[in-house]
Amino acid sequence: MTTPPDTPEPRSTVARRLLAGGREPDPRFTLANERTFLAWIRTSLALLAGGVAVEAFTGGLFDELTRRVLGSILLVLAAVIAFSAVFRWIRVERAMRRGQALPLPVLAPLLALGTATAAAVVFMMVTM
């Protein structure tokens, strides 16, 4: 029976360059950061599915211009969130490793603004 080593294995060269030094944080915090990243990816996939659904299934409800605008808002928002989520994960991981304050979530206001815009478009079309 072997006992686990006192010090963890060193990270790969790519991971060391990506994380840029600092101390290894508690694994629970790293895993929580990873869960948050996956939540952003799930949100992005939901917006992607919404954009496709708007374009495919709302032909009788909205005119073509509204469908394209609404679908485009959702698809662009999905792409921006998916792209930004990985950078947020890295920034949070680096901050934890250096003992710094966590960065503000820029994605949250962006998601709120995009969702509010899409809701406003739907509201205007439904009430017209």
Side-chain angles (χ1 to χ4, degrees):
M1 187 166 164
T2 60
T3 58
D6 291 337
T7 56
E9 297 265 334
R11 291 191 178 258
S12 69
T13 304
V14 173
R16 283 194 307 259
R17 283 186 180 178
L18 195 64
L19 298 175
R23 280 185 350 171
E24 198 69 37
D26 186 330
R28 293 175 293 179
F29 300 138
T30 297
L31 293 172
N33 188 26
E34 195 171 304
R35 285 191 298 274
T36 304
F37 167 75
L38 293 173
W40 284 116
I41 295 299
R42 280 193 303 272
T43 303
S44 175
L45 288 172
L47 290 169
L48 178 67
V52 170
V54 163
E55 183 59 30
F57 302 118
T58 60
L61 184 60
F62 301 131
D63 61 35
E64 184 174 339
L65 178 64
T66 304
R67 262 193 353 261
R68 288 193 183 264
V69 168
L70 188 57
S72 297
I73 289 171
L74 293 172
L75 294 175
V76 167
L77 197 56
V80 169
I81 287 174
F83 188 71
S84 302
V86 70
F87 292 108
R88 172 162 170 73
W89 180 84
I90 291 170
R91 289 176 51 218
V92 169
E93 194 68 24
R94 284 180 179 168
M96 288 191 305
R97 294 176 67 84
R98 296 174 184 162
Q100 298 172 336
L102 297 180
L104 288 176
V106 179
L107 288 174
L110 179 67
L111 179 62
L113 179 65
T115 305
T117 303
V121 169
V122 171
F123 179 76
M124 286 186 338
M125 293 311 298
V126 169
T127 57
M128 291 177 109

PDB file of all heavy atoms in Angstrom, residues 1-24:
ATOM      1  N   MET A   1       0.845  -1.177   0.000  1.00  0.00           N
ATOM      2  CA  MET A   1       0.000   0.000   0.000  1.00  0.00           C
ATOM      3  C   MET A   1       0.893   1.243   0.000  1.00  0.00           C
ATOM      4  O   MET A   1       1.831   1.350   0.758  1.00  0.00           O
ATOM      5  CB  MET A   1      -0.876  -0.034   1.243  1.00  0.00           C
ATOM      6  CG  MET A   1      -1.887   1.026   1.285  1.00  0.00           C
ATOM      7  SD  MET A   1      -3.044   0.567   2.593  1.00  0.00           S
ATOM      8  CE  MET A   1      -3.824   2.049   2.828  1.00  0.00           C
ATOM      9  N   THR A   2       0.564   2.171  -0.924  1.00  0.00           N
ATOM     10  CA  THR A   2       1.390   3.380  -1.013  1.00  0.00           C
ATOM     11  C   THR A   2       0.627   4.557  -0.444  1.00  0.00           C
ATOM     12  O   THR A   2      -0.609   4.614  -0.501  1.00  0.00           O
ATOM     13  CB  THR A   2       1.760   3.677  -2.480  1.00  0.00           C
ATOM     14  OG1 THR A   2       0.564   3.873  -3.201  1.00  0.00           O
ATOM     15  CG2 THR A   2       2.539   2.525  -3.092  1.00  0.00           C
ATOM     16  N   THR A   3       1.353   5.519   0.068  1.00  0.00           N
ATOM     17  CA  THR A   3       0.742   6.742   0.576  1.00  0.00           C
ATOM     18  C   THR A   3       0.897   7.838  -0.461  1.00  0.00           C
ATOM     19  O   THR A   3       1.876   7.842  -1.214  1.00  0.00           O
ATOM     20  CB  THR A   3       1.413   7.184   1.886  1.00  0.00           C
ATOM     21  OG1 THR A   3       2.800   7.369   1.635  1.00  0.00           O
ATOM     22  CG2 THR A   3       1.198   6.150   2.975  1.00  0.00           C
ATOM     23  N   PRO A   4      -0.043   8.759  -0.530  1.00  0.00           N
ATOM     24  CA  PRO A   4       0.067   9.830  -1.524  1.00  0.00           C
ATOM     25  C   PRO A   4       1.248  10.737  -1.175  1.00  0.00           C
ATOM     26  O   PRO A   4       1.583  10.901  -0.002  1.00  0.00           O
ATOM     27  CB  PRO A   4      -1.274  10.566  -1.406  1.00  0.00           C
ATOM     28  CG  PRO A   4      -1.842  10.152  -0.102  1.00  0.00           C
ATOM     29  CD  PRO A   4      -1.250   8.855   0.252  1.00  0.00           C
ATOM     30  N   PRO A   5       1.899  11.317  -2.189  1.00  0.00           N
ATOM     31  CA  PRO A   5       3.040  12.198  -1.923  1.00  0.00           C
ATOM     32  C   PRO A   5       2.574  13.476  -1.221  1.00  0.00           C
ATOM     33  O   PRO A   5       1.429  13.905  -1.361  1.00  0.00           O
ATOM     34  CB  PRO A   5       3.585  12.490  -3.321  1.00  0.00           C
ATOM     35  CG  PRO A   5       2.463  12.227  -4.245  1.00  0.00           C
ATOM     36  CD  PRO A   5       1.609  11.185  -3.596  1.00  0.00           C
ATOM     37  N   ASP A   6       3.512  14.084  -0.454  1.00  0.00           N
ATOM     38  CA  ASP A   6       3.183  15.324   0.252  1.00  0.00           C
ATOM     39  C   ASP A   6       3.027  16.506  -0.704  1.00  0.00           C
ATOM     40  O   ASP A   6       2.239  17.398  -0.468  1.00  0.00           O
ATOM     41  CB  ASP A   6       4.262  15.651   1.276  1.00  0.00           C
ATOM     42  CG  ASP A   6       4.238  14.655   2.424  1.00  0.00           C
ATOM     43  OD1 ASP A   6       3.178  14.038   2.632  1.00  0.00           O
ATOM     44  OD2 ASP A   6       5.275  14.503   3.089  1.00  0.00           O
ATOM     45  N   THR A   7       3.779  16.517  -1.766  1.00  0.00           N
ATOM     46  CA  THR A   7       3.685  17.600  -2.740  1.00  0.00           C
ATOM     47  C   THR A   7       3.089  17.053  -4.031  1.00  0.00           C
ATOM     48  O   THR A   7       3.432  15.960  -4.457  1.00  0.00           O
ATOM     49  CB  THR A   7       5.064  18.215  -3.044  1.00  0.00           C
ATOM     50  OG1 THR A   7       5.929  17.172  -3.476  1.00  0.00           O
ATOM     51  CG2 THR A   7       5.645  18.869  -1.811  1.00  0.00           C
ATOM     52  N   PRO A   8       2.195  17.828  -4.647  1.00  0.00           N
ATOM     53  CA  PRO A   8       1.586  17.334  -5.890  1.00  0.00           C
ATOM     54  C   PRO A   8       2.596  17.323  -7.030  1.00  0.00           C
ATOM     55  O   PRO A   8       3.615  17.994  -6.982  1.00  0.00           O
ATOM     56  CB  PRO A   8       0.473  18.353  -6.160  1.00  0.00           C
ATOM     57  CG  PRO A   8       0.856  19.573  -5.415  1.00  0.00           C
ATOM     58  CD  PRO A   8       1.689  19.124  -4.252  1.00  0.00           C
ATOM     59  N   GLU A   9       2.278  16.552  -8.047  1.00  0.00           N
ATOM     60  CA  GLU A   9       3.104  16.499  -9.246  1.00  0.00           C
ATOM     61  C   GLU A   9       3.150  17.895  -9.875  1.00  0.00           C
ATOM     62  O   GLU A   9       2.145  18.610  -9.856  1.00  0.00           O
ATOM     63  CB  GLU A   9       2.493  15.527 -10.247  1.00  0.00           C
ATOM     64  CG  GLU A   9       2.425  14.113  -9.776  1.00  0.00           C
ATOM     65  CD  GLU A   9       3.606  13.309 -10.241  1.00  0.00           C
ATOM     66  OE1 GLU A   9       4.176  13.666 -11.280  1.00  0.00           O
ATOM     67  OE2 GLU A   9       3.953  12.348  -9.553  1.00  0.00           O
ATOM     68  N   PRO A  10       4.285  18.292 -10.444  1.00  0.00           N
ATOM     69  CA  PRO A  10       4.333  19.604 -11.099  1.00  0.00           C
ATOM     70  C   PRO A  10       3.435  19.623 -12.337  1.00  0.00           C
ATOM     71  O   PRO A  10       3.237  18.603 -12.990  1.00  0.00           O
ATOM     72  CB  PRO A  10       5.812  19.764 -11.468  1.00  0.00           C
ATOM     73  CG  PRO A  10       6.405  18.415 -11.384  1.00  0.00           C
ATOM     74  CD  PRO A  10       5.540  17.592 -10.479  1.00  0.00           C
ATOM     75  N   ARG A  11       2.897  20.786 -12.601  1.00  0.00           N
ATOM     76  CA  ARG A  11       2.024  20.936 -13.771  1.00  0.00           C
ATOM     77  C   ARG A  11       2.848  20.908 -15.055  1.00  0.00           C
ATOM     78  O   ARG A  11       4.052  21.143 -15.039  1.00  0.00           O
ATOM     79  CB  ARG A  11       1.246  22.239 -13.679  1.00  0.00           C
ATOM     80  CG  ARG A  11       0.225  22.222 -12.578  1.00  0.00           C
ATOM     81  CD  ARG A  11      -0.670  23.417 -12.745  1.00  0.00           C
ATOM     82  NE  ARG A  11      -1.699  23.433 -11.741  1.00  0.00           N
ATOM     83  CZ  ARG A  11      -2.948  23.055 -11.973  1.00  0.00           C
ATOM     84  NH1 ARG A  11      -3.305  22.657 -13.158  1.00  0.00           N
ATOM     85  NH2 ARG A  11      -3.832  23.108 -11.007  1.00  0.00           N
ATOM     86  N   SER A  12       2.147  20.699 -16.164  1.00  0.00           N
ATOM     87  CA  SER A  12       2.815  20.694 -17.465  1.00  0.00           C
ATOM     88  C   SER A  12       3.289  22.102 -17.810  1.00  0.00           C
ATOM     89  O   SER A  12       2.875  23.086 -17.194  1.00  0.00           O
ATOM     90  CB  SER A  12       1.853  20.195 -18.541  1.00  0.00           C
ATOM     91  OG  SER A  12       0.841  21.155 -18.745  1.00  0.00           O
ATOM     92  N   THR A  13       4.151  22.190 -18.809  1.00  0.00           N
ATOM     93  CA  THR A  13       4.685  23.480 -19.239  1.00  0.00           C
ATOM     94  C   THR A  13       3.562  24.405 -19.707  1.00  0.00           C
ATOM     95  O   THR A  13       3.544  25.595 -19.387  1.00  0.00           O
ATOM     96  CB  THR A  13       5.705  23.267 -20.376  1.00  0.00           C
ATOM     97  OG1 THR A  13       6.706  22.371 -19.918  1.00  0.00           O
ATOM     98  CG2 THR A  13       6.340  24.580 -20.788  1.00  0.00           C
ATOM     99  N   VAL A  14       2.614  23.858 -20.445  1.00  0.00           N
ATOM    100  CA  VAL A  14       1.495  24.667 -20.948  1.00  0.00           C
ATOM    101  C   VAL A  14       0.687  25.207 -19.775  1.00  0.00           C
ATOM    102  O   VAL A  14       0.343  26.394 -19.731  1.00  0.00           O
ATOM    103  CB  VAL A  14       0.602  23.841 -21.893  1.00  0.00           C
ATOM    104  CG1 VAL A  14      -0.650  24.608 -22.276  1.00  0.00           C
ATOM    105  CG2 VAL A  14       1.377  23.427 -23.117  1.00  0.00           C
ATOM    106  N   ALA A  15       0.395  24.353 -18.797  1.00  0.00           N
ATOM    107  CA  ALA A  15      -0.400  24.795 -17.642  1.00  0.00           C
ATOM    108  C   ALA A  15       0.356  25.846 -16.850  1.00  0.00           C
ATOM    109  O   ALA A  15      -0.230  26.835 -16.391  1.00  0.00           O
ATOM    110  CB  ALA A  15      -0.749  23.602 -16.765  1.00  0.00           C
ATOM    111  N   ARG A  16       1.667  25.669 -16.689  1.00  0.00           N
ATOM    112  CA  ARG A  16       2.457  26.667 -15.942  1.00  0.00           C
ATOM    113  C   ARG A  16       2.445  27.999 -16.666  1.00  0.00           C
ATOM    114  O   ARG A  16       2.327  29.053 -16.046  1.00  0.00           O
ATOM    115  CB  ARG A  16       3.882  26.175 -15.757  1.00  0.00           C
ATOM    116  CG  ARG A  16       4.012  25.126 -14.656  1.00  0.00           C
ATOM    117  CD  ARG A  16       5.476  24.924 -14.273  1.00  0.00           C
ATOM    118  NE  ARG A  16       6.328  24.640 -15.405  1.00  0.00           N
ATOM    119  CZ  ARG A  16       6.765  23.427 -15.742  1.00  0.00           C
ATOM    120  NH1 ARG A  16       6.441  22.396 -15.020  1.00  0.00           N
ATOM    121  NH2 ARG A  16       7.537  23.258 -16.786  1.00  0.00           N
ATOM    122  N   ARG A  17       2.565  27.997 -17.985  1.00  0.00           N
ATOM    123  CA  ARG A  17       2.539  29.262 -18.740  1.00  0.00           C
ATOM    124  C   ARG A  17       1.150  29.895 -18.686  1.00  0.00           C
ATOM    125  O   ARG A  17       1.005  31.100 -18.541  1.00  0.00           O
ATOM    126  CB  ARG A  17       2.915  29.022 -20.184  1.00  0.00           C
ATOM    127  CG  ARG A  17       4.368  28.844 -20.377  1.00  0.00           C
ATOM    128  CD  ARG A  17       4.696  28.759 -21.830  1.00  0.00           C
ATOM    129  NE  ARG A  17       6.133  28.573 -21.976  1.00  0.00           N
ATOM    130  CZ  ARG A  17       6.730  28.428 -23.123  1.00  0.00           C
ATOM    131  NH1 ARG A  17       6.028  28.462 -24.222  1.00  0.00           N
ATOM    132  NH2 ARG A  17       8.012  28.254 -23.179  1.00  0.00           N
ATOM    133  N   LEU A  18       0.131  29.077 -18.779  1.00  0.00           N
ATOM    134  CA  LEU A  18      -1.247  29.582 -18.792  1.00  0.00           C
ATOM    135  C   LEU A  18      -1.623  30.167 -17.438  1.00  0.00           C
ATOM    136  O   LEU A  18      -2.262  31.225 -17.360  1.00  0.00           O
ATOM    137  CB  LEU A  18      -2.188  28.436 -19.153  1.00  0.00           C
ATOM    138  CG  LEU A  18      -3.597  28.775 -19.555  1.00  0.00           C
ATOM    139  CD1 LEU A  18      -3.599  29.581 -20.841  1.00  0.00           C
ATOM    140  CD2 LEU A  18      -4.404  27.510 -19.747  1.00  0.00           C
ATOM    141  N   LEU A  19      -1.200  29.519 -16.360  1.00  0.00           N
ATOM    142  CA  LEU A  19      -1.593  29.960 -15.030  1.00  0.00           C
ATOM    143  C   LEU A  19      -0.634  30.989 -14.459  1.00  0.00           C
ATOM    144  O   LEU A  19      -0.969  31.652 -13.470  1.00  0.00           O
ATOM    145  CB  LEU A  19      -1.714  28.758 -14.094  1.00  0.00           C
ATOM    146  CG  LEU A  19      -2.791  27.755 -14.533  1.00  0.00           C
ATOM    147  CD1 LEU A  19      -2.769  26.538 -13.636  1.00  0.00           C
ATOM    148  CD2 LEU A  19      -4.155  28.395 -14.535  1.00  0.00           C
ATOM    149  N   ALA A  20       0.543  31.136 -15.043  1.00  0.00           N
ATOM    150  CA  ALA A  20       1.480  32.214 -14.709  1.00  0.00           C
ATOM    151  C   ALA A  20       1.849  32.267 -13.233  1.00  0.00           C
ATOM    152  O   ALA A  20       1.761  33.303 -12.588  1.00  0.00           O
ATOM    153  CB  ALA A  20       0.923  33.551 -15.190  1.00  0.00           C
ATOM    154  N   GLY A  21       2.304  31.160 -12.692  1.00  0.00           N
ATOM    155  CA  GLY A  21       2.879  31.156 -11.349  1.00  0.00           C
ATOM    156  C   GLY A  21       1.863  31.157 -10.224  1.00  0.00           C
ATOM    157  O   GLY A  21       0.708  30.824 -10.422  1.00  0.00           O
ATOM    158  N   GLY A  22       2.332  31.525  -9.056  1.00  0.00           N
ATOM    159  CA  GLY A  22       1.483  31.540  -7.876  1.00  0.00           C
ATOM    160  C   GLY A  22       1.474  30.198  -7.170  1.00  0.00           C
ATOM    161  O   GLY A  22       2.161  29.267  -7.565  1.00  0.00           O
ATOM    162  N   ARG A  23       0.706  30.120  -6.106  1.00  0.00           N
ATOM    163  CA  ARG A  23       0.583  28.873  -5.338  1.00  0.00           C
ATOM    164  C   ARG A  23      -0.645  28.102  -5.786  1.00  0.00           C
ATOM    165  O   ARG A  23      -1.650  28.689  -6.188  1.00  0.00           O
ATOM    166  CB  ARG A  23       0.418  29.187  -3.857  1.00  0.00           C
ATOM    167  CG  ARG A  23       1.695  29.516  -3.161  1.00  0.00           C
ATOM    168  CD  ARG A  23       1.461  29.698  -1.705  1.00  0.00           C
ATOM    169  NE  ARG A  23       0.004  29.722  -1.436  1.00  0.00           N
ATOM    170  CZ  ARG A  23      -0.555  29.692  -0.275  1.00  0.00           C
ATOM    171  NH1 ARG A  23       0.187  29.636   0.774  1.00  0.00           N
ATOM    172  NH2 ARG A  23      -1.843  29.737  -0.102  1.00  0.00           N
ATOM    173  N   GLU A  24      -0.540  26.810  -5.667  1.00  0.00           N
ATOM    174  CA  GLU A  24      -1.661  25.946  -6.038  1.00  0.00           C
ATOM    175  C   GLU A  24      -2.822  26.192  -5.059  1.00  0.00           C
ATOM    176  O   GLU A  24      -2.640  26.060  -3.844  1.00  0.00           O
ATOM    177  CB  GLU A  24      -1.182  24.490  -5.960  1.00  0.00           C
ATOM    178  CG  GLU A  24      -2.026  23.498  -6.677  1.00  0.00           C
ATOM    179  CD  GLU A  24      -1.966  23.644  -8.182  1.00  0.00           C
ATOM    180  OE1 GLU A  24      -0.899  23.956  -8.747  1.00  0.00           O
ATOM    181  OE2 GLU A  24      -3.002  23.438  -8.806  1.00  0.00           O
TER     182      GLU A  24
END
